[in-house]
Amino acid sequence: MQKVFNNKMAIFLFVFPGILLFSLTFLVPIVLSAYYSFRDTLSPGTPSAFIGFANYTELLFHDSRFWLALRNAVLLGLGFILIQHPIAIFFAIMLDRLGGKAEKWFRTIFFIPCVISVVVISKMWLSLLDPTFGAFNKMLDSLGLGFLKHAWLGDSSTALISMLFILIWAGFGWGLLFYYAGLKGIPDDLYEAASLDGASGFRLHWRITVPLLSPVITVQITLAMITALKQMETVFLTTNGGPGDSTQFLAVYLYNKAFSASQYGYANAISILFIIVCLLATYLSNKLTRSDATEF
């Protein structure tokens, strides 16, 4: 084996297929996207003119819909981090303490939304929040709260909040699973020692659980921001960015510009900025979580 590792040609033959696959599926599309972003292109292969940074100038300084889509994506990311993840950590701790068959049943129940098709989830919530026949409005009627009935996804004042709730609910199982797996890797001896020293309840988990879960939290925050920025399927199938642009997200806006408005060059400019924003979000989330972890 040592002879193989010392043979540069052997190393090259092992690594080359992976590099080739990575280049064809990742690097080449990015380079082509960057190329088209500097041109006035309606579709791939059609004649186009070089327009320099015109697409980027329009996008950054004159396109309010882009900034609205970015704001909504950031709000979704904050919803994941500040709402979904703390609740996921809480329920993961509860499941870990529960044990027995009940633990397995609840673990399965919480993860069910993650294995259901996005199409099914989208249609289910469209039915539940239907202003006329939806189960949610009917439940409000039965509770004597009919005055709260609303077109939850059809009114710009509540559409974004409703969409954020749906997306946070749909991804809850993944967060719970990651934190639950992280908790299983924490030795019980640490909790016993902390209990003997007088720690209990919230203080016990704040001093033991959270610091030891910091690697999982770092990964989860990074994934949350990336997921929020590239969120498309559920939004596209429920509101398609409407009503108006109240639920517009980056990926949906990019898709509509490329395939509905036929502004292929402009859509590629959005995709390049999209990559930059994702990289920046990943860098910041890693930096912030690592600096917070050192405080414990």
Side-chain angles (χ1 to χ4, degrees), residues 185-227:
I186 300 176
D188 293 334
D189 297 345
L190 295 176
Y191 291 108
E192 293 175 3
S195 297
L196 291 175
D197 288 338
S200 61
F202 177 80
R203 184 181 179 84
L204 180 67
H205 291 293
W206 182 251
R207 293 297 182 182
I208 302 295
T209 305
V210 174
L212 292 178
L213 277 180
S214 59
V216 181
I217 294 173
T218 299
V219 172
Q220 282 292 87
I221 289 177
T222 302
L223 291 175
M225 291 306 302
I226 294 174
T227 301

mmCIF file of all heavy atoms in Angstrom, residues 185-227:
data_model
loop_
_atom_site.group_PDB
_atom_site.id
_atom_site.type_symbol
_atom_site.label_atom_id
_atom_site.label_comp_id
_atom_site.label_asym_id
_atom_site.label_seq_id
_atom_site.Cartn_x
_atom_site.Cartn_y
_atom_site.Cartn_z
ATOM 1 N N GLY A 185 -24.207 10.849 21.265
ATOM 2 C CA GLY A 185 -22.754 10.757 21.368
ATOM 3 C C GLY A 185 -22.180 11.403 22.614
ATOM 4 O O GLY A 185 -20.954 11.387 22.812
ATOM 5 N N ILE A 186 -23.036 11.972 23.457
ATOM 6 C CA ILE A 186 -22.566 12.608 24.705
ATOM 7 C C ILE A 186 -22.617 11.576 25.833
ATOM 8 O O ILE A 186 -23.685 11.024 26.116
ATOM 9 C CB ILE A 186 -23.441 13.820 25.068
ATOM 10 C CG1 ILE A 186 -23.390 14.865 23.950
ATOM 11 C CG2 ILE A 186 -22.985 14.433 26.388
ATOM 12 C CD1 ILE A 186 -24.290 16.069 24.176
ATOM 13 N N PRO A 187 -21.505 11.288 26.484
ATOM 14 C CA PRO A 187 -21.482 10.271 27.555
ATOM 15 C C PRO A 187 -22.373 10.663 28.734
ATOM 16 O O PRO A 187 -22.404 11.832 29.148
ATOM 17 C CB PRO A 187 -20.002 10.235 27.981
ATOM 18 C CG PRO A 187 -19.251 10.830 26.840
ATOM 19 C CD PRO A 187 -20.169 11.854 26.229
ATOM 20 N N ASP A 188 -23.083 9.693 29.278
ATOM 21 C CA ASP A 188 -23.936 9.944 30.439
ATOM 22 C C ASP A 188 -23.125 10.313 31.671
ATOM 23 O O ASP A 188 -23.643 10.951 32.598
ATOM 24 C CB ASP A 188 -24.784 8.700 30.728
ATOM 25 C CG ASP A 188 -25.809 8.423 29.636
ATOM 26 O OD1 ASP A 188 -26.212 9.389 28.946
ATOM 27 O OD2 ASP A 188 -26.193 7.253 29.467
ATOM 28 N N ASP A 189 -21.854 9.887 31.699
ATOM 29 C CA ASP A 189 -21.012 10.173 32.868
ATOM 30 C C ASP A 189 -20.872 11.675 33.108
ATOM 31 O O ASP A 189 -20.775 12.129 34.253
ATOM 32 C CB ASP A 189 -19.615 9.571 32.674
ATOM 33 C CG ASP A 189 -19.649 8.052 32.577
ATOM 34 O OD1 ASP A 189 -20.701 7.490 32.944
ATOM 35 O OD2 ASP A 189 -18.649 7.465 32.147
ATOM 36 N N LEU A 190 -20.867 12.451 32.019
ATOM 37 C CA LEU A 190 -20.721 13.902 32.159
ATOM 38 C C LEU A 190 -21.932 14.503 32.872
ATOM 39 O O LEU A 190 -21.790 15.392 33.722
ATOM 40 C CB LEU A 190 -20.547 14.541 30.780
ATOM 41 C CG LEU A 190 -19.268 14.176 30.018
ATOM 42 C CD1 LEU A 190 -19.276 14.811 28.636
ATOM 43 C CD2 LEU A 190 -18.044 14.655 30.800
ATOM 44 N N TYR A 191 -23.123 14.023 32.537
ATOM 45 C CA TYR A 191 -24.335 14.513 33.201
ATOM 46 C C TYR A 191 -24.352 14.108 34.679
ATOM 47 O O TYR A 191 -24.767 14.886 35.548
ATOM 48 C CB TYR A 191 -25.574 13.973 32.496
ATOM 49 C CG TYR A 191 -25.788 14.535 31.111
ATOM 50 C CD1 TYR A 191 -25.575 13.751 29.986
ATOM 51 C CD2 TYR A 191 -26.202 15.850 30.931
ATOM 52 C CE1 TYR A 191 -25.771 14.265 28.713
ATOM 53 C CE2 TYR A 191 -26.402 16.368 29.664
ATOM 54 C CZ TYR A 191 -26.178 15.574 28.557
ATOM 55 O OH TYR A 191 -26.370 16.089 27.294
ATOM 56 N N GLU A 192 -23.908 12.890 34.943
ATOM 57 C CA GLU A 192 -23.886 12.422 36.328
ATOM 58 C C GLU A 192 -22.906 13.241 37.163
ATOM 59 O O GLU A 192 -23.202 13.620 38.303
ATOM 60 C CB GLU A 192 -23.504 10.943 36.353
ATOM 61 C CG GLU A 192 -24.549 10.032 35.724
ATOM 62 C CD GLU A 192 -24.080 8.588 35.655
ATOM 63 O OE1 GLU A 192 -22.965 8.311 36.154
ATOM 64 O OE2 GLU A 192 -24.824 7.760 35.109
ATOM 65 N N ALA A 193 -21.734 13.523 36.569
ATOM 66 C CA ALA A 193 -20.738 14.318 37.298
ATOM 67 C C ALA A 193 -21.243 15.740 37.533
ATOM 68 O O ALA A 193 -21.058 16.305 38.632
ATOM 69 C CB ALA A 193 -19.431 14.345 36.513
ATOM 70 N N ALA A 194 -21.881 16.320 36.528
ATOM 71 C CA ALA A 194 -22.416 17.672 36.679
ATOM 72 C C ALA A 194 -23.533 17.714 37.712
ATOM 73 O O ALA A 194 -23.658 18.674 38.479
ATOM 74 C CB ALA A 194 -22.916 18.179 35.325
ATOM 75 N N SER A 195 -24.345 16.654 37.751
ATOM 76 C CA SER A 195 -25.434 16.596 38.742
ATOM 77 C C SER A 195 -24.881 16.526 40.155
ATOM 78 O O SER A 195 -25.408 17.137 41.086
ATOM 79 C CB SER A 195 -26.323 15.385 38.455
ATOM 80 O OG SER A 195 -26.932 15.498 37.190
ATOM 81 N N LEU A 196 -23.818 15.764 40.322
ATOM 82 C CA LEU A 196 -23.178 15.667 41.648
ATOM 83 C C LEU A 196 -22.598 17.004 42.091
ATOM 84 O O LEU A 196 -22.526 17.296 43.283
ATOM 85 C CB LEU A 196 -22.080 14.604 41.621
ATOM 86 C CG LEU A 196 -22.549 13.155 41.484
ATOM 87 C CD1 LEU A 196 -21.360 12.216 41.339
ATOM 88 C CD2 LEU A 196 -23.409 12.741 42.678
ATOM 89 N N ASP A 197 -22.206 17.817 41.099
ATOM 90 C CA ASP A 197 -21.662 19.144 41.417
ATOM 91 C C ASP A 197 -22.753 20.183 41.631
ATOM 92 O O ASP A 197 -22.456 21.356 41.885
ATOM 93 C CB ASP A 197 -20.740 19.612 40.281
ATOM 94 C CG ASP A 197 -19.441 18.833 40.251
ATOM 95 O OD1 ASP A 197 -19.073 18.264 41.291
ATOM 96 O OD2 ASP A 197 -18.797 18.786 39.181
ATOM 97 N N GLY A 198 -24.015 19.767 41.504
ATOM 98 C CA GLY A 198 -25.118 20.667 41.797
ATOM 99 C C GLY A 198 -25.841 21.235 40.592
ATOM 100 O O GLY A 198 -26.801 21.998 40.741
ATOM 101 N N ALA A 199 -25.400 20.895 39.379
ATOM 102 C CA ALA A 199 -26.062 21.408 38.175
ATOM 103 C C ALA A 199 -27.331 20.611 37.910
ATOM 104 O O ALA A 199 -27.377 19.396 38.116
ATOM 105 C CB ALA A 199 -25.125 21.309 36.972
ATOM 106 N N SER A 200 -28.364 21.282 37.435
ATOM 107 C CA SER A 200 -29.627 20.606 37.128
ATOM 108 C C SER A 200 -30.436 21.449 36.154
ATOM 109 O O SER A 200 -30.186 22.639 35.988
ATOM 110 C CB SER A 200 -30.438 20.373 38.407
ATOM 111 O OG SER A 200 -30.760 21.615 39.022
ATOM 112 N N GLY A 201 -31.415 20.806 35.515
ATOM 113 C CA GLY A 201 -32.337 21.503 34.629
ATOM 114 C C GLY A 201 -31.658 22.239 33.498
ATOM 115 O O GLY A 201 -30.782 21.718 32.808
ATOM 116 N N PHE A 202 -32.072 23.485 33.315
ATOM 117 C CA PHE A 202 -31.558 24.311 32.216
ATOM 118 C C PHE A 202 -30.053 24.504 32.315
ATOM 119 O O PHE A 202 -29.348 24.456 31.304
ATOM 120 C CB PHE A 202 -32.266 25.670 32.225
ATOM 121 C CG PHE A 202 -31.744 26.618 31.179
ATOM 122 C CD1 PHE A 202 -32.150 26.516 29.861
ATOM 123 C CD2 PHE A 202 -30.835 27.618 31.527
ATOM 124 C CE1 PHE A 202 -31.668 27.396 28.894
ATOM 125 C CE2 PHE A 202 -30.344 28.500 30.580
ATOM 126 C CZ PHE A 202 -30.766 28.389 29.257
ATOM 127 N N ARG A 203 -29.540 24.723 33.509
ATOM 128 C CA ARG A 203 -28.109 24.958 33.700
ATOM 129 C C ARG A 203 -27.292 23.745 33.263
ATOM 130 O O ARG A 203 -26.218 23.882 32.671
ATOM 131 C CB ARG A 203 -27.830 25.285 35.168
ATOM 132 C CG ARG A 203 -26.373 25.640 35.456
ATOM 133 C CD ARG A 203 -26.173 25.932 36.937
ATOM 134 N NE ARG A 203 -24.781 26.241 37.234
ATOM 135 C CZ ARG A 203 -24.238 27.436 37.099
ATOM 136 N NH1 ARG A 203 -24.969 28.442 36.669
ATOM 137 N NH2 ARG A 203 -22.957 27.637 37.392
ATOM 138 N N LEU A 204 -27.824 22.546 33.542
ATOM 139 C CA LEU A 204 -27.133 21.313 33.169
ATOM 140 C C LEU A 204 -26.961 21.223 31.652
ATOM 141 O O LEU A 204 -25.865 20.932 31.150
ATOM 142 C CB LEU A 204 -27.916 20.110 33.685
ATOM 143 C CG LEU A 204 -27.328 18.726 33.380
ATOM 144 C CD1 LEU A 204 -26.032 18.518 34.131
ATOM 145 C CD2 LEU A 204 -28.343 17.644 33.730
ATOM 146 N N HIS A 205 -28.029 21.503 30.923
ATOM 147 C CA HIS A 205 -27.968 21.402 29.460
ATOM 148 C C HIS A 205 -27.193 22.576 28.855
ATOM 149 O O HIS A 205 -26.546 22.416 27.816
ATOM 150 C CB HIS A 205 -29.382 21.341 28.886
ATOM 151 C CG HIS A 205 -30.090 20.053 29.224
ATOM 152 N ND1 HIS A 205 -29.682 18.841 28.715
ATOM 153 C CD2 HIS A 205 -31.158 19.807 30.012
ATOM 154 C CE1 HIS A 205 -30.480 17.889 29.187
ATOM 155 N NE2 HIS A 205 -31.381 18.449 29.969
ATOM 156 N N TRP A 206 -27.267 23.737 29.481
ATOM 157 C CA TRP A 206 -26.541 24.895 28.953
ATOM 158 C C TRP A 206 -25.027 24.710 29.077
ATOM 159 O O TRP A 206 -24.268 25.145 28.205
ATOM 160 C CB TRP A 206 -26.988 26.156 29.684
ATOM 161 C CG TRP A 206 -26.346 27.410 29.177
ATOM 162 C CD1 TRP A 206 -25.409 28.175 29.812
ATOM 163 C CD2 TRP A 206 -26.591 28.058 27.921
ATOM 164 N NE1 TRP A 206 -25.055 29.249 29.032
ATOM 165 C CE2 TRP A 206 -25.763 29.196 27.863
ATOM 166 C CE3 TRP A 206 -27.434 27.770 26.838
ATOM 167 C CZ2 TRP A 206 -25.753 30.054 26.762
ATOM 168 C CZ3 TRP A 206 -27.415 28.624 25.751
ATOM 169 C CH2 TRP A 206 -26.579 29.750 25.723
ATOM 170 N N ARG A 207 -24.603 24.059 30.162
ATOM 171 C CA ARG A 207 -23.177 23.891 30.412
ATOM 172 C C ARG A 207 -22.606 22.596 29.818
ATOM 173 O O ARG A 207 -21.398 22.508 29.577
ATOM 174 C CB ARG A 207 -22.908 23.906 31.925
ATOM 175 C CG ARG A 207 -23.167 25.254 32.570
ATOM 176 C CD ARG A 207 -22.232 26.309 32.013
ATOM 177 N NE ARG A 207 -22.438 27.615 32.650
ATOM 178 C CZ ARG A 207 -21.787 28.709 32.314
ATOM 179 N NH1 ARG A 207 -20.891 28.660 31.337
ATOM 180 N NH2 ARG A 207 -22.041 29.859 32.921
ATOM 181 N N ILE A 208 -23.458 21.612 29.598
ATOM 182 C CA ILE A 208 -22.974 20.322 29.090
ATOM 183 C C ILE A 208 -23.451 20.067 27.654
ATOM 184 O O ILE A 208 -22.646 19.863 26.741
ATOM 185 C CB ILE A 208 -23.438 19.161 30.002
ATOM 186 C CG1 ILE A 208 -22.941 19.370 31.438
ATOM 187 C CG2 ILE A 208 -22.953 17.827 29.443
ATOM 188 C CD1 ILE A 208 -21.438 19.321 31.582
ATOM 189 N N THR A 209 -24.751 20.099 27.448
ATOM 190 C CA THR A 209 -25.312 19.688 26.162
ATOM 191 C C THR A 209 -24.945 20.651 25.037
ATOM 192 O O THR A 209 -24.445 20.225 23.988
ATOM 193 C CB THR A 209 -26.849 19.574 26.261
ATOM 194 O OG1 THR A 209 -27.195 18.703 27.331
ATOM 195 C CG2 THR A 209 -27.427 19.043 24.964
ATOM 196 N N VAL A 210 -25.201 21.927 25.247
ATOM 197 C CA VAL A 210 -24.979 22.903 24.173
ATOM 198 C C VAL A 210 -23.516 22.974 23.734
ATOM 199 O O VAL A 210 -23.231 22.927 22.533
ATOM 200 C CB VAL A 210 -25.511 24.294 24.590
ATOM 201 C CG1 VAL A 210 -25.146 25.338 23.541
ATOM 202 C CG2 VAL A 210 -27.020 24.246 24.780
ATOM 203 N N PRO A 211 -22.531 23.073 24.671
ATOM 204 C CA PRO A 211 -21.136 23.106 24.211
ATOM 205 C C PRO A 211 -20.720 21.853 23.449
ATOM 206 O O PRO A 211 -20.005 21.933 22.448
ATOM 207 C CB PRO A 211 -20.342 23.242 25.512
ATOM 208 C CG PRO A 211 -21.288 23.864 26.472
ATOM 209 C CD PRO A 211 -22.624 23.300 26.125
ATOM 210 N N LEU A 212 -21.172 20.670 23.901
ATOM 211 C CA LEU A 212 -20.787 19.433 23.234
ATOM 212 C C LEU A 212 -21.532 19.234 21.912
ATOM 213 O O LEU A 212 -21.097 18.456 21.064
ATOM 214 C CB LEU A 212 -21.026 18.235 24.165
ATOM 215 C CG LEU A 212 -20.105 18.176 25.391
ATOM 216 C CD1 LEU A 212 -20.451 16.997 26.280
ATOM 217 C CD2 LEU A 212 -18.646 18.088 24.960
ATOM 218 N N LEU A 213 -22.643 19.937 21.764
ATOM 219 C CA LEU A 213 -23.382 19.883 20.497
ATOM 220 C C LEU A 213 -22.913 20.957 19.514
ATOM 221 O O LEU A 213 -23.448 21.054 18.410
ATOM 222 C CB LEU A 213 -24.884 20.070 20.739
ATOM 223 C CG LEU A 213 -25.700 18.855 21.152
ATOM 224 C CD1 LEU A 213 -27.163 19.258 21.350
ATOM 225 C CD2 LEU A 213 -25.603 17.730 20.140
ATOM 226 N N SER A 214 -21.935 21.771 19.912
ATOM 227 C CA SER A 214 -21.518 22.893 19.066
ATOM 228 C C SER A 214 -21.096 22.476 17.659
ATOM 229 O O SER A 214 -21.413 23.194 16.694
ATOM 230 C CB SER A 214 -20.408 23.694 19.750
ATOM 231 O OG SER A 214 -19.287 22.874 20.023
ATOM 232 N N PRO A 215 -20.391 21.329 17.448
ATOM 233 C CA PRO A 215 -20.091 20.937 16.061
ATOM 234 C C PRO A 215 -21.353 20.670 15.241
ATOM 235 O O PRO A 215 -21.431 21.050 14.071
ATOM 236 C CB PRO A 215 -19.270 19.656 16.231
ATOM 237 C CG PRO A 215 -18.694 19.736 17.605
ATOM 238 C CD PRO A 215 -19.733 20.433 18.415
ATOM 239 N N VAL A 216 -22.353 20.039 15.877
ATOM 240 C CA VAL A 216 -23.621 19.776 15.182
ATOM 241 C C VAL A 216 -24.354 21.081 14.923
ATOM 242 O O VAL A 216 -24.926 21.279 13.836
ATOM 243 C CB VAL A 216 -24.507 18.825 16.018
ATOM 244 C CG1 VAL A 216 -25.818 18.529 15.292
ATOM 245 C CG2 VAL A 216 -23.762 17.531 16.309
ATOM 246 N N ILE A 217 -24.350 21.980 15.899
ATOM 247 C CA ILE A 217 -25.015 23.267 15.738
ATOM 248 C C ILE A 217 -24.386 24.058 14.600
ATOM 249 O O ILE A 217 -25.088 24.693 13.797
ATOM 250 C CB ILE A 217 -24.964 24.067 17.057
ATOM 251 C CG1 ILE A 217 -25.794 23.367 18.128
ATOM 252 C CG2 ILE A 217 -25.466 25.493 16.849
ATOM 253 C CD1 ILE A 217 -25.666 23.983 19.511
ATOM 254 N N THR A 218 -23.058 24.017 14.494
ATOM 255 C CA THR A 218 -22.352 24.724 13.418
ATOM 256 C C THR A 218 -22.803 24.218 12.052
ATOM 257 O O THR A 218 -23.126 24.998 11.149
ATOM 258 C CB THR A 218 -20.834 24.552 13.557
ATOM 259 O OG1 THR A 218 -20.411 25.099 14.805
ATOM 260 C CG2 THR A 218 -20.100 25.248 12.430
ATOM 261 N N VAL A 219 -22.844 22.894 11.908
ATOM 262 C CA VAL A 219 -23.277 22.295 10.636
ATOM 263 C C VAL A 219 -24.733 22.644 10.356
ATOM 264 O O VAL A 219 -25.099 22.997 9.219
ATOM 265 C CB VAL A 219 -23.085 20.765 10.665
ATOM 266 C CG1 VAL A 219 -23.697 20.114 9.435
ATOM 267 C CG2 VAL A 219 -21.608 20.422 10.760
ATOM 268 N N GLN A 220 -25.573 22.576 11.370
ATOM 269 C CA GLN A 220 -26.995 22.835 11.188
ATOM 270 C C GLN A 220 -27.277 24.286 10.796
ATOM 271 O O GLN A 220 -28.141 24.557 9.966
ATOM 272 C CB GLN A 220 -27.756 22.482 12.472
ATOM 273 C CG GLN A 220 -27.984 21.002 12.655
ATOM 274 C CD GLN A 220 -28.955 20.463 11.616
ATOM 275 O OE1 GLN A 220 -28.568 20.084 10.515
ATOM 276 N NE2 GLN A 220 -30.220 20.447 11.949
ATOM 277 N N ILE A 221 -26.569 25.225 11.401
ATOM 278 C CA ILE A 221 -26.762 26.636 11.059
ATOM 279 C C ILE A 221 -26.329 26.898 9.624
ATOM 280 O O ILE A 221 -27.002 27.612 8.861
ATOM 281 C CB ILE A 221 -25.987 27.539 12.048
ATOM 282 C CG1 ILE A 221 -26.668 27.511 13.416
ATOM 283 C CG2 ILE A 221 -25.914 28.981 11.525
ATOM 284 C CD1 ILE A 221 -25.944 28.306 14.475
ATOM 285 N N THR A 222 -25.212 26.292 9.219
ATOM 286 C CA THR A 222 -24.741 26.437 7.845
ATOM 287 C C THR A 222 -25.762 25.866 6.859
ATOM 288 O O THR A 222 -26.108 26.507 5.862
ATOM 289 C CB THR A 222 -23.392 25.726 7.663
ATOM 290 O OG1 THR A 222 -22.438 26.272 8.572
ATOM 291 C CG2 THR A 222 -22.878 25.893 6.247
ATOM 292 N N LEU A 223 -26.259 24.662 7.158
ATOM 293 C CA LEU A 223 -27.261 24.044 6.287
ATOM 294 C C LEU A 223 -28.561 24.848 6.264
ATOM 295 O O LEU A 223 -29.229 24.934 5.226
ATOM 296 C CB LEU A 223 -27.547 22.603 6.750
ATOM 297 C CG LEU A 223 -26.424 21.586 6.556
ATOM 298 C CD1 LEU A 223 -26.807 20.241 7.170
ATOM 299 C CD2 LEU A 223 -26.114 21.414 5.072
ATOM 300 N N ALA A 224 -28.911 25.435 7.406
ATOM 301 C CA ALA A 224 -30.134 26.230 7.479
ATOM 302 C C ALA A 224 -30.055 27.437 6.555
ATOM 303 O O ALA A 224 -31.016 27.741 5.825
ATOM 304 C CB ALA A 224 -30.386 26.678 8.917
ATOM 305 N N MET A 225 -28.940 28.145 6.562
ATOM 306 C CA MET A 225 -28.794 29.320 5.703
ATOM 307 C C MET A 225 -28.783 28.927 4.233
ATOM 308 O O MET A 225 -29.427 29.584 3.401
ATOM 309 C CB MET A 225 -27.497 30.062 6.065
ATOM 310 C CG MET A 225 -27.515 30.726 7.421
ATOM 311 S SD MET A 225 -28.927 31.847 7.668
ATOM 312 C CE MET A 225 -28.707 33.007 6.323
ATOM 313 N N ILE A 226 -28.076 27.851 3.890
ATOM 314 C CA ILE A 226 -28.032 27.410 2.490
ATOM 315 C C ILE A 226 -29.412 26.953 2.039
ATOM 316 O O ILE A 226 -29.863 27.278 0.933
ATOM 317 C CB ILE A 226 -26.996 26.287 2.319
ATOM 318 C CG1 ILE A 226 -25.593 26.823 2.585
ATOM 319 C CG2 ILE A 226 -27.068 25.682 0.919
ATOM 320 C CD1 ILE A 226 -24.522 25.762 2.579
ATOM 321 N N THR A 227 -30.107 26.195 2.896
ATOM 322 C CA THR A 227 -31.454 25.717 2.557
ATOM 323 C C THR A 227 -32.410 26.882 2.354
ATOM 324 O O THR A 227 -33.237 26.871 1.436
ATOM 325 C CB THR A 227 -31.985 24.795 3.671
ATOM 326 O OG1 THR A 227 -31.093 23.688 3.835
ATOM 327 C CG2 THR A 227 -33.375 24.275 3.327
#
